[in-house]
Amino acid sequence: MAAASFTSLASQLSSSSSSSQYLRRPRFVDQIDSINLLRLSSSTSRRGGYISRNRLVVSAASGSSGKFFVGGNWKCNGTTASISKLVSDLNDAKMEADVDVVVAPPFVYIDQVKKTLTDRVEISSQNSWVGKGGAFTGEISVEQLKDVGCTWVILGHSERRHVIGEDDQFIGKKAAYALTENLKVIACIGERLEEREAGKTFDVCFQQLKAYADNVPSWDNIVVAYEPVWAIGTGKVATPEQAQEVHVAVRDWLKKNVSVEVASKTRIIYGGSVNGSNCAELAKQEDIDGFLVGGASLKGPEFATIVNSVTLKKVAA
């Protein structure tokens, strides 16, 4: 297959916000003026088939053969009353049929949501323990999650990695245990701003992918979520071309390091300030197979708009 060159992540930054805005990074680092995103140097040195400074050359790839996937991560938000309203809005929303839709409420509201939300939407946990339950204060076991109706779990989210301190291998082992117990996994990967500026986007993402690959028994029930940390909750979003570039690289890594079949079947979704306004252009990209949505998933009508962006995927195809 002919090699295709893709433009650098570093060279394409969203112009949706003025340079005077501040890019809010996660709380473990200081605020930084978003104009610093433009101070990305370039290099032409090659390493292992990939060009450094976030520019790469990979085999031409195509999107997943699986169904479009949209997950809503509610994080540590909500009350009994607000979640009741959100569930009501989701129940009333018209959502395209050919999309897998999943929401991840806070642990204490999973049972409430399961009992009141339409069966059209599956329930995910935001985390799970690395093994069977027992004397692990504050943890939630896979068995308990299944008992209350969860069919998915989000693992490897940047807030678990960089705030809580979970490392790649620990996350890989958690994914392996969940899959062994028939809980499907949304496996998150993504680089921090300083890693991106240093030209390490692909190194970081591939290292995180390898930790999953080294541990999981199968990729049949895994959705990979690429979430650049610099875009999560900041209002900054990767341009469609930036996101597509990383998704192509991830699919190519799976092809070379796992199998051609896994690369073809695995859905790779994008997360990072996805909303009702930017989802359409992102959905048109060939290797973006859906979204993992944060803040916008707390608004029923807007979340439905993101789900329905699958129609733009069909048009693009």
Side-chain angles (χ1 to χ4, degrees), residues 256-295:
K256 293 174 179 176
N257 295 276
V258 184
S259 74
V260 172
E261 182 183 13
V262 165
S264 173
K265 290 171 58 176
T266 300
R267 290 173 288 184
I268 306 169
I269 62 177
Y270 172 79
S273 296
V274 176
N275 58 45
S277 299
N278 59 38
C279 61
E281 290 304 312
L282 287 161
K284 292 177 183 177
Q285 299 299 308
E286 187 172 12
D287 285 273
I288 295 179
D289 302 315
F291 303 109
L292 184 57
V293 187

Coordinates of all heavy atoms in Angstrom, one line a residue, residues 256-295:
K256 N 0.5 -3.0 12.8 CA 1.9 -3.5 12.8 C 2.2 -4.3 14.1 O 3.1 -5.2 14.0 CB 2.9 -2.3 12.7 CG 2.8 -1.6 11.4 CD 3.7 -0.4 11.4 CE 3.7 0.4 10.0 NZ 4.5 1.6 10.0
N257 N 1.5 -4.0 15.2 CA 1.9 -4.6 16.5 C 0.9 -5.6 17.0 O 1.2 -6.3 17.9 CB 2.1 -3.5 17.5 CG 3.4 -2.6 17.1 OD1 4.5 -3.0 17.4 ND2 3.1 -1.5 16.5
V258 N -0.3 -5.6 16.5 CA -1.3 -6.5 16.9 C -1.7 -7.4 15.7 O -1.3 -8.5 15.6 CB -2.6 -5.8 17.6 CG1 -3.5 -6.9 18.1 CG2 -2.1 -4.9 18.7
S259 N -2.6 -6.8 14.9 CA -2.9 -7.6 13.6 C -3.7 -6.7 12.7 O -4.3 -5.6 13.1 CB -3.8 -8.8 14.0 OG -5.1 -8.4 14.3
V260 N -3.7 -7.0 11.4 CA -4.5 -6.3 10.4 C -6.0 -6.3 10.8 O -6.7 -5.3 10.7 CB -4.3 -6.9 9.0 CG1 -5.2 -6.2 8.0 CG2 -2.8 -6.7 8.6
E261 N -6.4 -7.5 11.3 CA -7.9 -7.6 11.6 C -8.2 -6.7 12.8 O -9.3 -6.0 12.7 CB -8.2 -9.1 12.0 CG -9.6 -9.3 12.3 CD -9.9 -10.7 12.8 OE1 -9.0 -11.5 13.0 OE2 -11.1 -11.1 12.9
V262 N -7.4 -6.6 13.8 CA -7.7 -5.8 15.0 C -7.7 -4.3 14.5 O -8.5 -3.5 14.9 CB -6.7 -6.0 16.1 CG1 -6.7 -4.9 17.1 CG2 -7.0 -7.3 16.8
A263 N -6.7 -3.9 13.7 CA -6.7 -2.6 13.2 C -7.9 -2.2 12.4 O -8.4 -1.0 12.5 CB -5.4 -2.4 12.3
S264 N -8.5 -3.1 11.7 CA -9.7 -2.8 10.9 C -10.9 -2.8 11.8 O -11.8 -1.9 11.5 CB -9.8 -3.9 9.8 OG -11.0 -3.8 9.2
K265 N -11.0 -3.6 12.8 CA -12.2 -3.8 13.6 C -12.3 -2.8 14.7 O -13.4 -2.4 15.2 CB -12.3 -5.2 14.1 CG -12.6 -6.2 13.0 CD -12.5 -7.6 13.6 CE -13.5 -7.9 14.7 NZ -13.4 -9.3 15.2
T266 N -11.2 -2.4 15.3 CA -11.2 -1.6 16.5 C -11.6 -0.2 16.2 O -11.1 0.5 15.3 CB -9.8 -1.5 17.1 OG1 -9.4 -2.9 17.5 CG2 -9.8 -0.7 18.4
R267 N -12.6 0.3 17.0 CA -13.1 1.7 16.8 C -12.2 2.6 17.6 O -11.9 2.3 18.8 CB -14.5 1.8 17.3 CG -15.5 1.1 16.4 CD -16.9 1.0 16.9 NE -17.0 0.1 18.0 CZ -18.2 -0.2 18.6 NH1 -19.3 0.3 18.2 NH2 -18.2 -1.1 19.6
I268 N -11.8 3.7 17.0 CA -10.9 4.7 17.6 C -11.7 6.0 17.6 O -12.1 6.6 16.6 CB -9.6 4.9 16.8 CG1 -8.9 3.6 16.6 CG2 -8.7 5.9 17.5 CD1 -7.7 3.6 15.6
I269 N -12.1 6.4 18.8 CA -13.0 7.6 19.0 C -12.1 8.7 19.5 O -11.0 8.6 20.1 CB -14.2 7.3 19.9 CG1 -13.7 6.9 21.3 CG2 -15.0 6.1 19.3 CD1 -14.9 6.6 22.3
Y270 N -12.6 10.0 19.3 CA -11.9 11.2 19.8 C -12.6 11.8 21.0 O -13.9 11.9 21.0 CB -11.9 12.2 18.6 CG -11.3 13.5 19.1 CD1 -9.9 13.7 19.3 CD2 -12.2 14.6 19.4 CE1 -9.4 14.9 19.8 CE2 -11.7 15.8 19.9 CZ -10.3 15.9 20.1 OH -9.8 17.1 20.6
G271 N -11.8 12.3 21.9 CA -12.4 13.0 23.0 C -11.5 14.3 23.3 O -10.3 14.2 23.1
G272 N -12.1 15.3 23.8 CA -11.4 16.5 24.1 C -12.2 17.8 23.7 O -12.0 18.2 22.5
S273 N -13.1 18.2 24.5 CA -13.9 19.4 24.3 C -14.8 19.2 23.1 O -15.1 20.2 22.3 CB -13.1 20.7 24.1 OG -12.4 20.9 25.4
V274 N -15.3 18.0 22.8 CA -16.2 17.7 21.8 C -17.6 18.3 22.2 O -18.0 18.2 23.3 CB -16.4 16.2 21.5 CG1 -17.5 16.0 20.4 CG2 -15.1 15.6 21.1
N275 N -18.3 19.0 21.2 CA -19.6 19.6 21.5 C -20.4 19.6 20.3 O -20.0 19.1 19.2 CB -19.4 21.0 22.1 CG -18.7 21.9 21.2 OD1 -18.9 22.0 20.0 ND2 -17.8 22.7 21.7
G276 N -21.6 20.1 20.4 CA -22.6 20.1 19.3 C -22.2 20.9 18.1 O -22.7 20.7 17.0
S277 N -21.2 21.8 18.4 CA -20.8 22.7 17.3 C -19.6 22.1 16.5 O -19.5 22.4 15.3 CB -20.4 24.1 17.9 OG -21.5 24.7 18.5
N278 N -18.8 21.4 17.1 CA -17.6 20.9 16.4 C -17.7 19.4 16.0 O -16.8 18.9 15.2 CB -16.3 21.2 17.2 CG -16.3 20.5 18.5 OD1 -16.8 19.4 18.7 ND2 -15.8 21.2 19.5
C279 N -18.7 18.7 16.4 CA -18.7 17.3 16.2 C -18.9 16.9 14.7 O -18.4 15.9 14.2 CB -19.8 16.6 17.0 SG -21.5 17.2 16.7
A280 N -19.6 17.8 14.0 CA -19.9 17.4 12.6 C -18.7 17.3 11.7 O -18.5 16.3 11.0 CB -20.9 18.5 12.0
E281 N -17.8 18.3 11.8 CA -16.6 18.3 11.0 C -15.6 17.2 11.5 O -15.0 16.5 10.7 CB -15.9 19.6 11.1 CG -16.6 20.7 10.4 CD -16.9 20.4 8.9 OE1 -15.9 20.0 8.2 OE2 -18.0 20.6 8.5
L282 N -15.6 16.9 12.8 CA -14.8 15.8 13.3 C -15.3 14.5 12.8 O -14.5 13.6 12.4 CB -14.7 15.8 14.8 CG -13.9 16.9 15.4 CD1 -14.3 17.1 16.9 CD2 -12.4 16.6 15.4
A283 N -16.6 14.3 12.8 CA -17.2 13.0 12.4 C -16.9 12.7 10.9 O -17.0 11.5 10.5 CB -18.7 13.1 12.6
K284 N -16.7 13.7 10.1 CA -16.4 13.4 8.7 C -15.1 12.8 8.4 O -14.8 12.2 7.3 CB -16.5 14.7 7.9 CG -17.9 15.4 7.8 CD -17.8 16.7 7.1 CE -19.1 17.4 7.1 NZ -19.1 18.7 6.4
Q285 N -14.2 12.8 9.4 CA -12.9 12.2 9.2 C -12.9 10.7 9.2 O -13.6 10.1 10.0 CB -11.9 12.7 10.3 CG -11.7 14.2 10.4 CD -11.1 14.7 9.1 OE1 -10.1 14.3 8.6 NE2 -11.7 15.8 8.6
E286 N -12.2 10.1 8.2 CA -12.4 8.7 8.0 C -12.0 7.8 9.2 O -12.7 6.8 9.4 CB -11.5 8.3 6.8 CG -11.7 6.9 6.3 CD -10.9 6.6 5.0 OE1 -10.1 7.4 4.6 OE2 -11.2 5.5 4.4
D287 N -11.0 8.2 10.0 CA -10.6 7.3 11.1 C -11.2 7.7 12.4 O -10.8 7.2 13.4 CB -9.1 7.2 11.1 CG -8.5 6.4 10.0 OD1 -8.4 5.2 10.2 OD2 -8.3 6.9 8.9
I288 N -12.1 8.7 12.5 CA -12.7 9.0 13.7 C -14.1 8.3 13.7 O -15.0 8.5 13.0 CB -13.0 10.5 13.8 CG1 -11.6 11.3 13.9 CG2 -13.8 10.9 15.1 CD1 -11.7 12.8 14.0
D289 N -14.1 7.3 14.6 CA -15.2 6.3 14.7 C -16.3 6.7 15.7 O -17.1 5.9 16.1 CB -14.7 4.9 14.9 CG -13.7 4.5 13.9 OD1 -14.0 4.7 12.7 OD2 -12.7 3.9 14.2
G290 N -16.2 7.9 16.3 CA -17.1 8.3 17.3 C -16.4 9.2 18.3 O -15.3 9.8 18.0
F291 N -17.1 9.4 19.4 CA -16.6 10.4 20.4 C -16.7 9.9 21.9 O -17.6 9.1 22.2 CB -17.4 11.7 20.3 CG -17.3 12.3 18.9 CD1 -18.4 12.3 18.1 CD2 -16.1 12.9 18.4 CE1 -18.4 12.9 16.8 CE2 -16.1 13.4 17.2 CZ -17.2 13.4 16.3
L292 N -15.8 10.4 22.7 CA -16.0 10.3 24.2 C -16.2 11.7 24.6 O -15.3 12.5 24.5 CB -14.8 9.6 24.8 CG -14.9 9.4 26.3 CD1 -16.2 8.6 26.7 CD2 -13.7 8.8 26.9
V293 N -17.4 12.0 25.2 CA -17.8 13.4 25.4 C -17.8 13.7 26.9 O -18.3 12.9 27.7 CB -19.2 13.6 24.8 CG1 -19.6 15.1 24.9 CG2 -19.3 13.2 23.4
G294 N -17.3 14.8 27.3 CA -17.3 15.2 28.7 C -18.4 16.1 29.0 O -19.6 15.7 29.1
G295 N -18.1 17.4 29.1 CA -19.1 18.4 29.6 C -20.4 18.4 28.8 O -21.5 18.6 29.3

